[in-house]
């Protein structure tokens, strides 16, 4: 089992910045990837950015490229999302995700609300 705890959401004006943090605990030695998803009201959950623990490969959805940066710590038990130049369309609940083991089991955080005002 892997537990994920998120922090850093809140209200921000368009053009501003926000930093999300997520720390994993439990059976973290076999984590394959960590990342951030988001879900806006009435929409499906979508991948925002991901980080592969083995080779530090990052992946972003097109709409956040150049504005958001995902990173991890040396212990590979935390992942961060630096959100710059935010837009009202970035408003959503952001969920931390961890992929575990060769079975690629997904674990999720409880979600943190990000609201961007225009």
């Amino acid at each position: 089992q892997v537990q994920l705890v998120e922090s850093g959401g809140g209200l921000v004006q368009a053009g501003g910045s926000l930093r999300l943090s997520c720390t994993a605990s439990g059976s973290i030695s076999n984590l394959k990837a960590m990342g951030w998803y988001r879900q806006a009201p009435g929409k499906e959950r979508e991948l925002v950015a991901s980080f592969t623990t083995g080779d530090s490969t990052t992946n972003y959805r097109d709409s956040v490229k150049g504005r958001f940066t995902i990173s991890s710590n040396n212990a590979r038990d935390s992942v961060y999302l630096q959100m710059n130049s935010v837009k009202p369309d970035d408003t959503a609940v952001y969920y931390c995700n961890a992929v575990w083991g060769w079975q690629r089991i997904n674990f999720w955080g409880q979600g943190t609300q990000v609201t961007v005002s225009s």
Side-chain angles (χ1 to χ4, degrees):
Q1 286 288 337
V2 175
Q3 295 79 40
L4 302 172
V5 178
E6 303 139 336
S7 62
L11 175 65
V12 61
Q13 287 190 332
S17 297
L18 209 59
R19 179 177 167 89
L20 305 183
S21 299
C22 173
T23 298
S25 61
S27 302
I28 63 173
S29 61
N30 209 17
L31 284 178
K32 300 303 182 185
M34 296 184 73
W36 292 93
Y37 286 69
R38 67 186 181 188
Q39 187 167 19
K43 295 187 177 181
E44 293 186 355
R45 190 173 297 189
E46 60 186 20
L47 174 68
V48 177
S50 64
F51 182 96
T52 303
T53 56
D55 59 7
S56 301
T57 301
T58 58
N59 181 49
Y60 298 91
R61 70 179 303 103
D62 287 345
S63 61
V64 307
K65 286 180 181 177
R67 300 189 297 121
F68 292 7
T69 302
I70 190 169
S71 61
S72 182
N73 61 351
N74 289 336
R76 295 293 188 258
D77 64 357
S78 294
V79 65
Y80 312 98
L81 186 68
Q82 179 66 42
M83 306 167 60
N84 296 331
S85 302
V86 295
K87 304 175 181 180
D89 283 349
D90 295 321
T91 295
V93 178
Y94 283 70
Y95 295 91
C96 181
N97 167 264
V99 180
W100 187 92
W102 63 268
Q103 308 96 320
R104 301 194 70 80
I105 298 172
N106 282 278
F107 292 93
W108 297 93
Q110 79 281 4
T112 185
Q113 177 70 46
V114 172
T115 302
V116 181
S117 63
S118 58

